[in-house]
Amino acid sequence: MTDLPAFLDSNRPDVPDLAVPRGITPFFIPSQPVRGRLIRLGPLANTLLTRHDHSEPVRALLGQALALAAALASALKFSGSFSLQAKGDGPVSMLIADCTDGGALRGYARVNEAAHIPDDATAKQLLGEGYLAFTVDQGMNREPQQGIVALEGETLAQMAETYFKTSEQLPCKVYLAAGATPQGWRAAALVIERIAGAGGVAPEISEAEQEEAWRTACILADTVTTDELLDDELTPERLLYRLFHGEGVAVDRPRVLAYGCRCSRARLGGILEGFSPDDLDHMTVDDHIVMNCEFCNFAFRFPRDTVTGRPGAL
């Protein structure tokens, strides 16, 4: 433990410094109103998903949420973080995944440890009834932008598609996969979107031709398998060619994904300083206050005599 006061100690805990250079592969079909992203977390998935001792269905759900957050964040132009949050009355009462504009990923699942979770539990069984929220947070000087939809569908992909259908967003198809492989846990996403044709990427094609191009892309994307999405040996370019080669798919510049927990002693120490001295005394055990980062599952210990608190705080 460092001797620096908490408010001066910006060091992060001893967590992995891991990046996947080709985590995001944007692509498009030339002269057709179709674009998308292929997300492959690679070894980053294993690092993120094994920080907590969750059951396999919970790890798979969190892995899918991380891949989905990366897929949706990488479609936006923003500076800050994009988060996916699901709250429900099921065994997983809260599911969070967020991705920064630079590709830093983190996630967390709050699980009722007393609940029985079947090995084949679906996202709906894990989350129950509740809502799914997508939020773009660009900092203190900007109001967060948020969209919320009820949890509808058996899978997380179907829940996300419900949001796009009910919020007047671009037509979208979502494919998610996460699971244990011989190389460790892996997670991936394939997202395709229909974009403007007339007046956009292909103004010369008719509405009927645009609709047919979108329908064809969806049929081809429907053939992707979980094994293909999670296979480290199958490169993103090769997988996209396998799916869409008949349409002339083109790949854009790949982008990085990285381990992205942003906790530090300074950040958590600042939170503690907002409590009253009496509240801090109630948090103290054996002369220390322990705060646990739920994302990276790291415990920060603060000697009670180093935290002053704010007299009169509620």
Side-chain angles (χ1 to χ4, degrees):
M1 184 175 65
T2 178
D3 293 329
L4 284 173
F7 71 92
L8 290 178
D9 184 5
S10 60
N11 290 329
R12 294 180 59 198
D14 184 18
V15 295
D17 184 14
L18 178 63
V20 178
R22 304 174 70 83
I24 303 168
T25 304
F27 65 92
F28 61 96
I29 299 178
S31 300
Q32 295 186 19
V34 181
R35 71 177 182 188
R37 276 91 53 215
L38 176 60
I39 308 299
R40 307 284 283 280
L41 269 62
L44 180 60
N46 194 70
T47 300
L48 288 164
L49 297 177
T50 57
R51 299 299 296 182
H52 292 267
D53 188 23
H54 292 316
S55 64
E56 286 203 4
V58 175
R59 281 184 176 172
L61 178 63
L62 180 56
Q64 291 180 17
L66 288 163
L68 178 59
L72 299 183
S74 58
L76 303 173
K77 293 182 179 180
F78 71 103
S79 177
S81 66
F82 172 89
S83 66
L84 171 162
Q85 179 174 315
K87 282 190 176 182
D89 58 8
V92 179
S93 59
M94 181 181 293
L95 177 71
I96 300 174
D98 79 35
C99 184
T100 68
D101 57 295
L105 267 177
R106 62 179 183 175
Y108 166 65
R110 180 185 297 164
V111 182
N112 178 359
E113 300 298 341
H116 171 67
I117 297 178
D119 291 340
D120 59 351
T122 65
K124 185 64 173 180
Q125 291 172 318
L126 291 171
L127 295 169
E129 300 295 329
Y131 68 83
L132 177 65
F134 299 116
T135 305
V136 176
D137 186 349
Q138 300 194 74
M140 296 181 61
N141 297 325
R142 302 281 296 274
E143 284 292 324
Q145 297 173 292
Q146 187 174 71
I148 301 177
V149 68
L151 293 172
E152 295 184 8
E154 283 299 315
T155 67
L156 185 60
Q158 291 170 348
M159 295 171 185
E161 288 176 352
T162 297
Y163 169 77
F164 285 97
K165 290 175 183 176
T166 59
S167 60
E168 299 183 355
Q169 302 290 324
L170 295 171
C172 181
K173 288 280 287 182
V174 178
Y175 306 84
L176 303 174
T181 75
Q183 292 74 39
W185 275 85
R186 295 294 185 264
L190 173 67
V191 175
I192 61 172
E193 297 169 340
R194 176 178 173 176
I195 57 178
V201 295
E204 70 281 1
I205 65 176
S206 68
E207 179 62 32
E209 290 172 322
Q210 293 177 53
E211 182 60 34
E212 179 61 21
W214 172 244
R215 189 182 72 85
T216 299
C218 290
I219 291 173
L220 295 174
D222 281 342
T223 66
V224 74
T225 67
T226 295
D227 288 344
E228 287 176 318
L229 287 170
L230 302 183
D231 185 358
D232 285 351
E233 299 301 316
L234 183 60
T235 66
E237 293 82 2
R238 185 64 186 171
L239 175 53
L240 292 170
Y241 179 82
R242 181 181 292 183
L243 292 172
F244 303 112
H245 67 276
E247 306 304 303
V249 64
V251 173
D252 210 337
R253 186 177 66 179
R255 293 164 57 184
V256 67
L257 289 173
Y259 188 95
C261 190
R262 302 185 289 279
C263 64
S264 69
R265 282 182 59 82
R267 183 187 295 267
L268 296 181
I271 294 173
L272 286 178
E273 291 294 352
F275 288 93
S276 70
D278 189 51
D279 286 335
L280 294 172
D281 289 340
H282 282 89
M283 299 178 195
T284 302
V285 177
D286 294 332
D287 299 323
H288 284 78
I289 299 172
V290 179
M291 293 188 74
N292 195 68
C293 173
E294 299 291 2
F295 291 102
C296 66
N297 198 28
F298 186 90
F300 292 83
R301 297 176 61 86
F302 297 86
R304 174 64 184 90
D305 59 8
T306 66
V307 186
T308 304
R310 185 160 57 92
L314 298 178

